[in-house]
Amino acid sequence: MLTKEELPECPVATTVQLIGSKWKLLIIRNLRMRPWRFNELQKNLEGISQKVLTDSLRALETDGLVTRTVYAEVPPRVEYALSELGETMRPILDAMEQWGVGYKVMAGERG
């Protein structure tokens, strides 16, 4: 997790720094539903490369928004889920979803 000194002074900029990439937002969107395995996420997030997914999940884990659980099975099973801190982002994504639905309705009325 970044220290207070490493974060931007502006709270909006802090949020953008943590979840501002397209892929991080879509990963968090999926993790709102349930824990996911790496391959499930990669299949669901059409167009994401293995490297970008790995890097994004590591960054989200480092920032304390996602947990990674390794199960002692053969073969090993790894699941990603929202952490307690990550769960606090749920209202942000819910608001984004509602706004997107409203925008699509308005765009439909104009089109």
Side-chain angles (χ1 to χ4, degrees):
M1 217 182 289
L2 296 174
T3 66
K4 187 177 180 182
E5 291 76 29
E6 295 172 308
L7 294 170
E9 193 171 318
C10 171
V12 173
T14 297
T15 304
V16 170
Q17 181 174 325
L18 293 172
I19 64 164
S21 79
K22 165 188 174 180
W23 295 118
K24 284 182 181 180
L25 278 170
L26 295 178
I27 291 166
I28 292 169
R29 175 205 63 191
N30 282 20
L31 296 180
R32 285 187 318 161
M33 294 181 246
R34 60 176 173 83
W36 288 65
R37 294 173 74 168
F38 184 91
N39 288 337
E40 289 180 306
L41 283 168
Q42 190 171 18
K43 286 177 188 170
N44 186 268
L45 300 171
E46 193 172 315
I48 193 169
S49 70
Q50 183 172 343
K51 180 184 182 343
V52 170
L53 180 55
T54 298
D55 292 348
S56 297
L57 285 167
R58 282 186 183 149
L60 289 166
E61 185 180 5
T62 298
D63 292 334
L65 301 174
V66 168
T67 60
R68 179 180 184 267
T69 304
V70 180
Y71 294 91
E73 300 173 356
V74 178
R77 177 170 53 108
V78 178
E79 287 186 345
Y80 296 89
L82 288 180
S83 67
E84 189 175 328
L85 179 60
E87 284 288 344
T88 65
M89 301 201 80
R90 190 174 289 276
I92 296 168
L93 271 77
D94 290 346
M96 290 175 75
E97 180 180 28
Q98 290 170 358
W99 188 89
V101 168
Y103 182 83
K104 284 184 170 186
V105 169
M106 299 216 24
E109 292 171 359
R110 286 186 272 141

